[in-house]
Amino acid sequence: LRGRQTRETTFFRALRACACASSRWHFFFAHAAQASIMRLLLCASAATAWCPPHVRTRVVAWRVAAQRIDIESQFVDEDAILAATRERLSFPIAPDALIDRCKDVIRAQASLQDATVFDESIYADDFRFVPPFVGGATPLNGEDVGLDKKAFVKALRGFDLLAAFPDLQQNYHAFRVDPWEPNRVWFQTRAFGTNTGDLMGKPATGKRLELPPEMLSMTFNADGQVQKFTVGYVLDRTVGNTGGLGQAFGLFWGVGAPLPIPECRPFTPSLPLLALGKIQAFLDGLGDA
């Protein structure tokens, strides 16, 4: 019994030391959230790596029991949820009609470069264009982010992607209305294109690009105008030859003309993330010993 108490005391001392060490590492990490994740992972790893065998067995059994849920309850009735949400929010446009409206907006946007033809009224006065890294930091308290209607139209007219990629094929598919947001249509793309024209002064490369699958969405008001347009959210960064980047970012990088900011380049892990992986591997090694 004394030996068991000694082992458990040693374990908890080590756990406290681990927590203290993680507090000191806080200054090494640039962001407080990263430090919090570090402490959680260190403590969780220490709990499984350094505890006595009988305690480790109990911990594993508790985790397994906690994960026993009714998996069937995780599959929802989308039609029922959508119907209830539409009724609660009194949104007047039926799902099929909203999808048709979304496709009409896509068709209309094909003429965006021509100010004499393009009808900007497809966008609401409070329209926002929200790609992953444009228009401000991710909102934490409901702040508006993204580009407004004027800035969005001006930005897209600043460079003509179709002039650089005349055969650009977006392959729009998988249109559906969000059951929890009955005024929002989600859809996907699997884009391909060949760079046969100049791109912002860079001569054509003749390179054939395949972009990763991407998720887009349009959120509408009751009058059928677009209030929010999201693009460029990559579903699988391992697909294609644009460094896991979507839309314009991927096209620029794919032809060797990436925009001069980290967000417009393929993902590389930060030093804190690399350090976290090394520490995790070290703790895993202790557990296997």
Side-chain angles (χ1 to χ4, degrees):
L1 178 61
R2 181 175 300 173
R4 173 179 174 181
Q5 291 174 338
T6 300
R7 289 195 300 272
E8 292 185 354
T9 300
T10 302
F11 162 68
F12 286 113
R13 284 176 179 172
L15 193 59
R16 283 196 298 271
C18 189
C20 292
S22 69
S23 295
R24 291 194 295 272
W25 290 332
H26 179 276
F27 298 98
F28 174 69
F29 293 101
H31 198 281
Q34 291 174 327
S36 299
I37 293 173
M38 173 67 111
R39 287 195 294 270
L40 288 172
L41 288 176
L42 282 174
C43 292
S45 298
T48 45
W50 294 344
C51 62
H54 69 281
V55 176
R56 186 185 307 172
T57 300
R58 292 177 184 175
V59 170
V60 172
W62 176 80
R63 287 178 178 171
V64 171
Q67 293 173 354
R68 288 174 182 166
I69 58 176
D70 178 13
I71 192 63
E72 291 303 319
S73 68
Q74 306 302 307
F75 299 101
V76 301
D77 186 337
E78 298 178 43
D79 293 337
I81 293 176
L82 178 56
T85 309
R86 277 193 68 212
E87 182 178 0
R88 177 170 57 83
L89 299 178
S90 300
F91 187 69
I93 306 176
D96 289 344
L98 195 67
I99 290 174
D100 289 341
R101 178 58 181 160
C102 178
K103 293 179 179 179
D104 287 341
V105 171
I106 294 173
R107 296 184 183 101
Q109 287 181 151
S111 63
L112 188 145
Q113 295 295 332
D114 188 348
T116 64
V117 176
F118 183 66
D119 181 9
E120 295 184 14
S121 68
I122 61 174
Y123 306 125
D125 291 338
D126 58 349
F127 170 84
R128 309 299 295 183
F129 175 65
V130 190
F133 308 115
V134 174
T138 300
L140 302 180
N141 297 296
E143 305 93 340
D144 284 336
V145 297
L147 304 181
D148 61 21
K149 177 163 60 173
K150 182 178 180 180
F152 166 66
V153 173
K154 181 179 179 181
L156 263 65
R157 286 178 179 161
F159 55 90
D160 189 354
L161 290 178
L162 286 179
F165 297 87
D167 66 344
L168 184 62
Q169 180 69 28
Q170 293 286 359
N171 295 310
Y172 298 110
H173 62 283
F175 288 80
R176 66 270 194 195
V177 175
D178 191 319
W180 286 270
E181 293 181 85
N183 61 332
R184 187 174 199 170
V185 177
W186 294 96
F187 55 104
Q188 296 171 213
T189 61
R190 287 294 297 266
F192 299 83
T194 309
N195 179 214
T196 57
D198 292 353
L199 181 60
M200 295 189 70
K202 181 177 176 58
T205 63
K207 188 173 182 180
R208 176 73 172 172
L209 297 184
E210 176 187 356
L211 280 75
E214 301 173 46
M215 182 68 74
L216 302 82
S217 78
M218 290 186 190
T219 303
F220 295 84
N221 61 22
D223 295 323
Q225 295 175 301
V226 182
Q227 287 183 305
K228 182 167 68 173
F229 184 23
T230 66
V231 304
Y233 292 87
V234 171
L235 297 174
D236 184 353
R237 60 189 171 96
T238 67
V239 175
N241 59 353
T242 61
L245 300 170
Q247 293 298 318
F249 293 167
L251 296 175
F252 279 110
W253 187 87
V255 299
L259 300 179
I261 53 176
E263 291 83 358
C264 296
R265 297 176 182 271
F267 168 76
T268 55
S270 64
L271 289 177
L273 183 59
L274 288 172
L276 180 61
K278 296 291 186 182
I279 294 169
Q280 183 66 54
F282 171 74
L283 292 174
D284 289 344
L286 292 177
D288 295 337

